Every structure is written in C-alpha cells, then in structure tokens.
Amino acid sequence: MIKVTIWNEYQEERQYDHVAKVYPKGIHGALYDFLSKNEDMEVKCVTLDMEDQGLSEEILNDTDVLLWWGHQAHDLVSDEAAKRVQQHILNGMGFIPLHSAHYCKVLKEILGTSMCLRWKHDEKEKLICVNPSHPIAEGITEPIILEQEEMYGEYFDIPKPDEIIFLGWFSCGEVFRSGCTFTRGWGKIFYFQPGHEEYPIYYHPQIQKIITNAVRWAKPVNKRNNDYDNVEVKHE
Ligand code: ZN
C-alpha cells in the first residue's frame, strides 16, 4: 500500500463562492476522490488549520507520498513544519507540489532557487508530453487541452530538472515546463503546473491519470534509516 497524504492550505475554497462552486469539498477533497479509488493507495487529507498544520512527525512518518496545494498562505506555514517536510523528503518521502505550490517554503528551500515565473489569468492550455517513456506519462498519448487555465510562463527559475515530462503551451503564446522531476536526498519530487483553483482541472480524467502515475512513481524505493556515522576503517 502507498500511504498518500494530501496537504491543502484550504483557504480560497472557503473564502470565495466561485471557488467553492468548483471545489465544494476543497481541492484536497477532489484529489482524495480519485486517488482513493486506487486499491494500492491509502489516502488521507490534512489542512493548514489542523494541529501542527497537518504536518506532525506522526503524520509525516506515516506518509510515503505527500501532495501539496498552496497559494496565498505559503507564509503561514511555519518554518518548523517546512523543515520537517524537507527532512522527510531527504529521507525518501515522495513530494508532489501542485500548481501554485511552486512557491511553497518546502520547495523553495529544498530546490534552492527563487521559483519565480510569469503568470496571466484565463488562457487555454495545451499540455504536451515530451517524455512518453516516463512512468508518469503512462497512458497519456495525446496532448491534453485545458480550455481555461492560469498561464504560467518561462523563465521559470528552477534548478535544472532531472527530467521534463510535460510542456505547457498557452494561447497567449507562452510556454512552460509544466511537469518536471527532481531528486533531493533519497526523495523524488514531481512538480505539476495544472490546477488553478477557479477551474475544474482536477476533475479532468487525464490530469487525474498523471497525478495517479506520479504518486506511484514518487513512492520511496528505499527510506533512509541510518545516520552514516564515522566508520572505523580496518586495514587487513
Ligand atoms: Zn493559480
């Protein structure tokens, strides 16, 4: 079983009617609904307003893959909680930051660049797979058209990714590295751009397929379980 934890700041769905209409159960609820259908996954949801911001050692210890949706509350995540998540990634936990989570404390600190990008509201996106043999692309043979999405554009200030799986093209002429993988320590990271809160992106079957594939890919192969202390060398 893959133990999946979905973390959502869960703010805009409660503040704005037009967002609540798209995601009445919260963005985490929409992610939960399709991920929990997989028999190899045990899924739980946590939110910013929970004890320890939903990111206690107990919860993280019980997580193989952490999905993260955040936007306006990045600064409300405590440095301690961000550090805990970072340490768990370094020890092998998979991490999937979605959409505006590019700018969350955890990702900024663990990747080490500004994570800045260009953005513009309400554009059509064509999401194109540029790495069809990658496990995250399994079953994605045609470009995905998102009639309405927020445009994210280059230059996207990330470190050089291990692999680029998807490119986004937007109707205003911008392009974006929309699906990228990174490795930090023992942990695997997949950043995935689609998922602006005003549009029903997470109900799209192919977007759901990509996120499902990403969870299976990001599952730890091994978790770090020792501290690599000084080893006494024996000369024979
Ligand atoms: Zn957005």
Side-chain angles (χ1 to χ4, degrees):
M1 280 301 240
I2 308 173
K3 290 181 175 179
V4 182
T5 302
I6 300 164
W7 186 92
N8 183 14
E9 65 177 30
Y10 195 27
Q11 307 253 309
E12 278 141 302
E13 303 97 310
R14 293 186 291 187
Q15 287 169 2
Y16 306 114
D17 287 346
H18 69 291
V19 179
K21 240 178 222 164
V22 180
Y23 289 112
K25 292 192 259 180
I27 287 172
H28 55 289
L31 295 167
Y32 177 88
D33 281 350
F34 70 85
L35 284 174
S36 60
K37 285 185 188 138
N38 296 297
E39 286 180 357
D40 59 341
M41 295 182 196
E42 196 182 294
V43 187
K44 59 177 172 294
C45 296
V46 292
T47 54
L48 178 65
D49 53 12
M50 288 170 66
E51 196 184 342
D52 294 317
Q53 307 195 313
L55 300 165
S56 65
E57 273 300 333
E58 198 187 343
I59 286 167
L60 294 172
N61 275 330
D62 199 37
T63 300
D64 293 318
V65 180
L66 178 66
L67 286 87
W68 189 286
W69 200 98
H71 178 215
Q72 62 181 28
H74 294 318
D75 289 342
L76 298 181
V77 175
S78 72
D79 291 347
E80 295 72 28
K83 268 263 172 297
R84 277 199 296 277
V85 175
Q86 256 183 294
Q87 196 54 53
H88 279 266
I89 296 169
L90 293 173
N91 289 348
M93 182 181 75
F95 186 55
I96 304 178
L98 297 167
H99 187 58
S100 39
H102 68 92
Y103 214 59
C104 72
K105 275 185 186 178
V106 173
L107 198 61
K108 271 163 82 173
E109 285 166 30
I110 208 160
L111 295 186
T113 49
S114 77
M115 307 303 292
C116 288
L117 46 74
R118 291 149 54 77
W119 78 94
K120 182 174 179 284
H121 271 108
D122 201 6
E123 292 289 328
K124 179 175 170 175
E125 177 174 8
K126 187 176 183 182
L127 188 71
I128 302 163
C129 176
V130 292
N131 199 337
S133 62
H134 195 281
I136 295 177
E138 191 192 327
I140 308 298
T141 51
E142 297 294 325
I144 297 168
I145 305 295
L146 303 171
E147 289 300 336
Q148 274 187 304
E149 175 55 304
E150 185 178 37
M151 183 281 286
Y152 276 8
E154 299 283 346
Y155 180 62
F156 181 23
D157 186 21
I158 48 174
K160 188 176 171 186
D162 290 346
E163 294 186 276
I164 301 170
I165 323 292
F166 297 101
L167 280 185
W169 171 88
F170 294 86
S171 44
C172 56
E174 302 274 347
V175 293
F176 192 67
R177 289 168 287 172
S178 292
C180 301
T181 67
F182 305 89
T183 312
R184 287 295 181 274
W186 295 43
K188 291 188 271 183
I189 299 168
F190 176 61
Y191 170 73
F192 192 46
Q193 162 265 317
H196 182 68
E197 70 278 1
E198 293 174 294
Y199 311 126
I201 307 290
Y202 295 125
Y203 301 111
H204 192 297
Q206 283 164 301
I207 296 295
Q208 295 180 352
K209 173 78 176 147
I210 292 169
I211 294 171
T212 304
N213 289 345
V215 167
R216 294 195 177 114
W217 167 84
K219 178 193 164 195
V221 174
N222 288 303
K223 281 199 180 178
R224 181 179 160 155
N225 55 11
N226 56 21
D227 290 329
Y228 300 104
D229 280 339
N230 192 359
V231 176
E232 207 176 301
V233 180
K234 277 184 187 162
H235 298 282
E236 306 206 357

